[in-house]
Amino acid sequence: MENRFGPYLVSDDPSLVDFDTVHQWLTGSYWSPGISREKVEKAALHTALVVGVYSGREQAAYMRVIGDSTTFAWIADVFVGEEHRRKGIGKEMVRFALEHPEWQGLRRWVLATRDAHEIYRECGFTSLPEPERFMIYRPEV
């Protein structure tokens, strides 16, 4: 699926992703500092939906949706290149995923963020109603 967002192309075609750029972004992020390029590509390969935004041939933004396309989805690795920020691209990627024809009727979409709560609220996300029900397993890496 592809959409136009102003001068940008939003696409779910993983063959368009510039993994050199995405790796550079993610390795410098707070959620995956130092991640290897191999892990970035492997994660994309095993992801149900990869969303890229492109300005011509340049990677402008990236995100992944992990899930089964039937009941559950987790939005991850949302990143907009610095020169493309403050243009609504992050929200557009999330809306692209939420409106994707293969991802309709899910019971639950979730994500985690340290600093972009307002962006996701504008897309319809709210805080967890019962956060005490959620748990995490995190062995030493």
Side-chain angles (χ1 to χ4, degrees), residues 2-133:
E2 292 184 353
N3 282 348
R4 282 276 168 199
F5 179 68
Y8 296 98
L9 172 68
V10 184
S11 176
D12 64 0
D13 182 350
S15 72
L16 298 177
V17 175
D18 174 356
F19 283 106
D20 287 332
T21 298
V22 172
H23 171 251
Q24 183 178 22
W25 290 340
L26 297 182
T27 195
S29 70
Y30 72 81
W31 62 89
S32 58
I35 191 169
S36 71
R37 188 174 191 277
E38 176 186 25
K39 284 187 178 183
V40 170
E41 286 193 58
K42 184 177 180 182
L45 177 66
H46 294 283
T47 293
L49 177 63
V50 173
V51 179
V53 178
Y54 308 92
S55 176
R57 293 182 170 193
E58 176 190 2
Q59 187 87 42
Y62 174 84
M63 76 174 232
R64 303 183 302 125
V65 178
I66 303 154
D68 59 14
S69 73
T70 305
T71 62
F72 177 83
W74 177 279
I75 294 178
D77 292 341
V78 179
F79 200 97
V80 178
E82 198 167 326
E83 61 276 14
H84 302 286
R85 292 180 186 165
R86 304 204 187 315
K87 297 178 181 180
I89 293 171
K91 287 184 272 192
E92 182 61 24
M93 281 194 300
V94 172
R95 288 184 184 122
F96 179 90
L98 294 173
E99 295 170 2
H100 198 285
E102 294 180 28
W103 288 83
Q104 297 305 299
L106 276 66
R107 290 188 310 206
R108 186 168 292 121
W109 287 80
V110 295
L111 57 84
T113 185
R114 181 170 75 183
D115 55 6
H117 296 78
E118 287 308 312
I119 290 170
Y120 297 112
R121 280 190 186 99
E122 290 179 28
C123 294
F125 284 82
T126 61
S127 297
L128 290 172
E130 298 175 273
E132 67 279 1
R133 292 178 65 184

